[in-house]
Amino acid sequence: AAVLAPFAAVAAAAQQPAAPAGGLTLDAVVQATLRTNPGVEIARLQVDGARGLLLGAGGVFDPRFTSSLTGKRSTAPALDAAGLVSAAASPVTNTGAYGLGGAWMLRSGITLLPEVTVSRSEVMGVSPAPAGGGSVKLGMSVPLLRDRFGRLSASGERAARAALDAQSLSVGHATATGLLTAVSAYWAYRGAQERLEVYRDSEQRAGRLLEETRALVRADERPAGDLNQLMANLSAKRVTRIAAEQAVVVARRDLGLAMGAEPEEVMALPPAADGFPAPVRFDPDTAALRAMVHAALERRADLAAAGRQTRSAEAVVQGTRSGLKPRLDLNVTAGYAGLATGQGFGSFVEPLYRNVPGLSATVALQYELPVANTAARGQALQSTATLQEQRVSERDLARRVASGVVVAAEALRRSALSLAEADEEVRLYATTLENERRKSQLGVSTLLDVLTAADGLTGAMLNVVSSRQSYAVSIATLRWETGTLAAAGPDGPALAGSLSTPP
């Protein structure tokens, strides 16, 4: 009975969730992932890139102004009485002009064309005083067919704005994916630690059995040949334990990478402190599954981002289709002009506000019919194909989300059932091992039967660890599938809900 006590203790420990005992907690992993996970950081930087594309796409609507300053001296040839060109008789004209104009396209497609010009002209020796002129005009070009309501000119900005919305939503999805990876890595790390403990216990049991048999051999109660099999068994257990130690190192590395830790921090991570969550009953009916699928379709950030990408493609298609139409523009110009004479700077600018006889206006229709319009037709065909492709991708993603929720829910239900069976397996193998030990002491069971029962107990305990890990990962996976793993918080994306209970 004293020999069987360690087996019973190990079996009992395998059936109870491990309690936190200091070290690396799951909450610390989550917080570190939110801060330093490379995938989340890249997604945030891509938002800045998309914001830059939006800013650049709106550049076509920036007002543009031009100015010019011109000085001109011209001599008009004149003939004298003999029919020869006379330098003295040829008038010399000095002209100075300044112009300020611009163009400002509105998002409605209308283009405003302001213009201000002033000039002063003096004919040397003829004019009594320089003559100054000035004009103020405001032109407006209104597209009536192509680019009507800005469908062509504003399509790039509309597409870029929808793409920015999509990229912003992708941050939430990248956060949820990063959290799922980190949480799964944490449970794998915890599982590797518990497997190592199982293998260490198995090695210790093999060592105790070897020492007990040696005592029996010295007492001439067992043949010496039994020791070879037991020493080989102990060596095999040591090999397995060494491999399990390496598995812990690998799991620690994977967890550190998922968290975004630096290389020197990865291998310094302490052991996982939080135990696996205790199983709870989870058996949703058809109505509950449909509700979870509906919620996932509403909450999944990647599906919402795909919808924004579709809107972006639709904006491009609207623009390219508008580009297929002929150009018919209504051009309207209104303004006034003034005239003044005199010396000094005043006569240069007075025509802008004095001696103005009245307003002038011009109305014109400009029509342009592209005969082939090959470039526009090619762009329309390409953008339409891109839109259809995006719609197919969005529908496919929705199908995958719906099926993923069902599969994840079933995986969680079955993992809970598996855990219950694994616990029962440990109990039965512990009883079997105890029976085989007693039968061996009575001489009705072989040493091989004892070793087989001991290996069966070890395998059962490993199954418990695997089932606990699978159950814990299944909870996180179902939350990820339903879009309830991460949520927007006041300081950015954060963990939503508990990782110990199903959604």
Side-chain angles (χ1 to χ4, degrees), residues 180-203:
L180 176 62
T181 302
V183 170
S184 300
Y186 181 84
W187 292 135
Y189 185 36
R190 178 71 192 192
Q193 293 175 192
E194 293 196 4
R195 290 186 188 91
L196 176 58
E197 291 303 317
V198 171
Y199 286 125
R200 284 174 176 169
D201 291 337
S202 176
E203 180 183 356

Side-chain angles (χ1 to χ4, degrees), residues 75-92:
T75 302
L79 303 178
D80 57 11
L84 300 175
V85 175
S86 172
S90 298
V92 177

Side-chain angles (χ1 to χ4, degrees), residues 20-21 44 85 141 168 202 211 230 245 276 305 343 381 425 467-468:
R44 290 170 179 165
V85 175
S141 178
S168 299
S202 176
E211 293 303 322
L230 293 177
E245 290 174 343
F276 291 117
Q343 300 288 342
L381 181 61
E425 181 186 11
S467 297
R468 287 178 180 170

Side-chain angles (χ1 to χ4, degrees), residues 25-400:
T25 64
L26 183 59
D27 181 67
V29 170
V30 168
Q31 297 305 320
T33 302
L34 292 174
R35 290 193 308 268
T36 59
N37 179 267
V40 177
E41 186 175 358
I42 289 174
R44 290 170 179 165
L45 293 175
Q46 288 174 343
V47 171
D48 293 337
R51 189 174 290 111
L53 290 177
L54 174 60
L55 186 62
V60 67
F61 303 110
D62 292 342
R64 299 181 300 276
F65 295 98
T66 59
S67 62
S68 62
L69 179 63
T70 305
K72 181 180 179 181
R73 181 183 179 89
S74 61
T75 302
L79 303 178
D80 57 11
L84 300 175
V85 175
S86 172
S90 298
V92 177
T93 304
N94 293 326
T95 303
Y98 176 76
L100 179 64
W104 185 11
M105 178 181 288
L106 305 179
R107 285 170 174 79
S108 60
I110 298 174
T111 301
L112 302 179
L113 302 167
E115 179 184 344
V116 177
T117 59
V118 292
S119 63
R120 191 161 97 166
S121 179
E122 179 181 7
V123 182
M124 304 301 295
V126 177
S127 301
S135 65
V136 177
K137 299 179 182 179
L138 177 61
M140 182 173 62
S141 178
V142 182
L144 302 179
L145 290 178
R146 183 189 301 178
D147 198 25
R148 187 179 181 184
F149 303 124
R151 288 192 179 95
L152 177 59
S153 57
S155 62
E157 186 182 46
R158 292 168 184 164
R161 181 174 289 109
L164 174 60
D165 294 339
Q167 193 58 55
S168 299
L169 290 169
S170 296
V171 174
H173 182 64
T175 301
T177 302
L179 286 176
L180 176 62
T181 302
V183 170
S184 300
Y186 181 84
W187 292 135
Y189 185 36
R190 178 71 192 192
Q193 293 175 192
E194 293 196 4
R195 290 186 188 91
L196 176 58
E197 291 303 317
V198 171
Y199 286 125
R200 284 174 176 169
D201 291 337
S202 176
E203 180 183 356
Q204 291 174 4
R205 290 198 300 270
R208 287 193 297 267
L209 185 58
L210 176 60
E211 293 303 322
E212 294 166 4
T213 305
R214 279 177 177 164
L216 294 175
V217 169
R218 286 192 296 268
D220 293 329
E221 296 181 9
R222 300 288 299 189
D226 289 347
L227 296 178
N228 292 331
Q229 184 177 10
L230 293 177
M231 287 188 292
N233 179 64
L234 179 58
S235 296
K237 296 299 184 289
R238 287 171 178 167
V239 170
T240 305
R241 184 258 304 162
I242 293 172
E245 290 174 343
Q246 178 61 24
V248 172
V249 174
V250 174
R252 182 189 298 118
R253 185 276 313 271
D254 294 342
L255 176 58
L257 292 179
M259 294 168 56
E262 295 298 326
E264 61 274 9
E265 299 173 342
V266 171
M267 303 316 295
L269 291 176
D274 292 338
F276 291 117
V280 297
R281 177 178 173 79
F282 181 77
D283 190 13
D285 55 16
T286 303
L289 279 177
R290 288 177 180 174
M292 283 193 291
V293 169
H294 179 74
L297 296 176
E298 293 290 331
R299 295 171 179 168
R300 281 283 290 267
D302 55 341
L303 189 56
R308 298 301 193 280
Q309 291 289 2
T310 301
R311 293 184 185 178
S312 176
E314 289 173 347
V316 175
V317 169
Q318 290 179 356
T320 56
R321 288 178 178 174
S322 180
L324 295 173
K325 298 178 180 180
R327 179 177 291 278
L328 178 62
D329 295 343
L330 173 64
N331 299 322
V332 179
T333 303
Y336 64 88
L339 184 66
T341 60
Q343 300 288 342
F345 180 76
S347 62
F348 191 69
V349 297
E350 283 179 357
L352 295 177
Y353 59 91
R354 295 181 62 182
N355 299 324
V356 177
L359 296 177
S360 302
T362 302
V363 179
L365 281 176
Q366 182 180 0
Y367 181 78
E368 176 185 337
L369 176 63
V371 179
N373 207 10
T374 305
R377 288 191 292 113
Q379 291 173 356
L381 181 61
Q382 180 182 5
S383 63
T384 301
T386 301
L387 173 59
Q388 296 301 327
E389 179 183 350
Q390 179 59 38
R391 285 174 175 170
V392 171
S393 298
E394 184 180 357
R395 289 195 299 268
D396 181 63
L397 179 58
R399 292 189 311 112
R400 293 178 181 276

Side-chain angles (χ1 to χ4, degrees), residues 373-442:
N373 207 10
T374 305
R377 288 191 292 113
Q379 291 173 356
L381 181 61
Q382 180 182 5
S383 63
T384 301
T386 301
L387 173 59
Q388 296 301 327
E389 179 183 350
Q390 179 59 38
R391 285 174 175 170
V392 171
S393 298
E394 184 180 357
R395 289 195 299 268
D396 181 63
L397 179 58
R399 292 189 311 112
R400 293 178 181 276
V401 168
S403 60
V405 171
V406 176
V407 172
E410 187 64 17
L412 180 58
R413 185 182 72 85
R414 292 183 181 276
S415 63
L417 296 175
S418 176
L419 181 54
E421 293 296 330
D423 288 337
E424 179 66 11
E425 181 186 11
V426 169
R427 187 187 67 80
L428 294 175
Y429 264 114
T431 302
T432 300
L433 178 58
E434 182 177 356
N435 293 337
E436 292 298 331
R437 288 297 303 271
R438 288 178 178 175
K439 289 162 60 178
S440 177
Q441 292 174 356
L442 296 174

